Amino acid sequence: LTQTALTALGAISDGAAVEEWRVSWLGRRGQFTGLLRGLSGLDPDLRREVGGRANQAKNTLEEALARRTREIAQAELEASDRLDVTLPGRPIITGRLHPTTQIVREICQAFMAMGFSVVEGPEVELDHYNFEMLNIPSGHPARDMWNSLWVDYPMLLRTHTSPMQARVMEAQEPPVRVVVPGKCYRYEATDATHEWHFYQVEGLAVAEGITFADLKGTLYEFARRVFGEDRQIRFRCDYFPFVEPGVDMSISNDEDWIEIMGAGMVHPKVLAGVGYDPDRYTGFAFGMGPERIGMLKYGIDDIRHFYSNDVRFLRQF
């Protein structure tokens, strides 16, 4: 049996046939496996002798199989085309920044070029900073503008990045010029233009002699840098408790206007609340949604695409 098996193995010249040989001779139902199973019917002395010889033969075949497998693999390698080192390498697939991250960075870069610094703040915020320091006391009807997700009173998931206005002004003396990117959360239904979690970029500038003209000039320059010089900009009166006067800023979109941010002059009560003299210092603040700016800039029709994790959408950025 051993000689017959070795002769058959020597005649094999490809890997598939080697595997067939292994199954036929050494597999679970192979000829040598069957021989070893049949030893139980022999008397003890003969069983010991035949079993030893059968195991020796099986070991011989296993060594021959390993040797023949290596020989065939080497022969196939030598017969194949050799590696052409002049061929270009395979491209390495790299990751990309999420479109929201790209837009947030573009917005921050636009304001950094105008002398603003970038700061960040906590997503879990105190009621004191999220509302009270922004001229929205407890029980004030303006709180209905923000559907809040409370963690455990007075802690909540911040509804906007505006709390950093108070935190920044408490930590430093004027002049102040910062933008605050960050995640916000609101308990509201989602649709094509609303999400319950989203990014916002807050801006604040405080110093002596700042006027509404400075606010308009800054936001005009921002729009020019992000959208190009062809877009028109419109300001309309609006209400926010922490600014006076307040405005919303819209960008032309074909024959329509799309609101991209709220803004206004910092309310004197907000300045006084952090220890600034409102008779000496003035300032402006603004807040915008990067996803909405991305929708306008890239023609995206549904804000939910940003958080759907659809690779077909993400790959376009």
Side-chain angles (χ1 to χ4, degrees):
L1 282 174
T2 302
Q3 189 56 47
T4 302
L6 290 174
T7 301
L9 180 63
I12 291 173
S13 59
D14 65 85
V18 168
E19 177 61 17
E20 292 178 2
W21 181 94
R22 185 194 68 79
V23 171
S24 175
W25 289 95
L26 301 176
R28 200 166 61 173
R29 297 183 180 180
Q31 297 187 52
F32 267 88
T33 306
L35 178 64
L36 291 171
R37 287 175 178 170
L39 295 177
S40 59
L42 302 176
D43 64 71
D45 292 335
L46 188 59
R47 185 190 313 159
R48 189 179 303 109
E49 180 183 354
V50 176
R53 295 180 65 184
N55 279 321
Q56 183 180 4
K58 183 179 180 182
N59 292 336
T60 299
L61 293 185
E62 288 177 343
E63 292 173 359
L65 172 64
R67 185 168 56 251
R68 188 59 181 155
T69 300
R70 289 193 298 269
E71 291 172 354
I72 290 175
Q74 182 64 30
E76 290 177 347
L77 179 63
E78 292 176 355
S80 64
D81 294 334
R82 293 189 177 276
L83 175 66
D84 185 352
V85 297
T86 65
L87 289 173
R90 292 189 178 96
I92 298 174
I93 300 175
T94 57
R96 298 178 175 87
L97 292 175
H98 190 277
T100 298
T101 303
Q102 294 184 35
I103 296 165
V104 168
R105 291 190 176 185
E106 184 178 358
I107 292 170
C108 291
Q109 287 290 339
F111 285 105
M112 288 169 64
M114 291 185 274
F116 285 75
S117 301
V118 178
V119 299
E120 295 182 334
E123 293 182 13
V124 179
E125 188 56 276
L126 289 166
D127 175 87
H128 175 71
Y129 288 105
N130 198 83
F131 292 121
E132 293 180 9
M133 293 292 285
L134 298 175
N135 196 32
I136 314 174
S138 178
H140 195 286
R143 291 202 179 201
D144 292 341
M145 297 168 63
W146 293 273
N147 299 315
S148 307
L149 288 166
W150 294 93
V151 179
D152 186 14
Y153 187 85
M155 305 292 291
L156 74 159
L157 297 180
R158 67 181 178 190
T159 58
H160 46 186
T161 48
S162 302
M164 283 303 294
Q165 289 188 31
R167 288 184 176 272
V168 169
M169 288 190 287
E170 280 185 339
Q172 69 181 82
E173 292 294 322
V176 174
R177 195 178 298 177
V178 297
V179 287
V180 186
K183 200 80 170 286
C184 303
Y185 306 87
R186 294 180 188 173
Y187 183 64
E188 59 183 41
T190 60
D191 56 32
T193 57
H194 295 85
E195 262 287 4
W196 72 271
H197 60 114
F198 53 92
Y199 271 83
Q200 191 177 72
V201 176
E202 183 82 10
L204 174 69
V206 179
E208 295 185 43
I210 289 182
T211 67
F212 194 84
D214 297 311
L215 167 64
K216 290 183 66 177
T218 301
L219 297 186
Y220 270 124
E221 178 64 15
F222 160 75
R224 186 187 68 81
R225 289 175 181 269
V226 174
F227 295 102
E229 299 183 359
D230 296 333
R231 294 291 183 96
Q232 293 182 315
I233 294 130
R234 182 182 71 180
F235 289 92
R236 295 190 304 176
C237 293
D238 205 341
Y239 171 73
F240 304 99
F242 36 89
V243 293
E244 179 60 39
V247 296
D248 72 56
M249 175 178 161
S250 301
I251 296 288
S252 62
N253 184 42
D254 296 328
E255 297 181 356
D256 199 5
W257 294 90
I258 295 182
E259 179 186 348
I260 63 169
M261 75 172 79
M265 301 301 292
V266 179
H267 200 289
K269 289 185 177 180
V270 175
L271 295 174
V274 296
Y276 287 7
D277 182 357
D279 294 327
R280 179 182 177 186
Y281 297 110
T282 54
F284 62 79
F286 55 86
M288 69 189 77
E291 287 94 352
R292 288 194 175 186
I293 290 177
M295 292 173 68
L296 182 60
K297 186 174 182 179
Y298 299 115
I300 301 167
D301 59 0
D302 195 323
I303 195 173
R304 291 169 293 192
H305 289 320
F306 286 98
Y307 298 102
S308 66
N309 293 326
D310 190 330
V311 177
R312 297 171 300 174
F313 172 77
L314 298 176
R315 190 177 287 134
Q316 299 178 59
F317 298 90

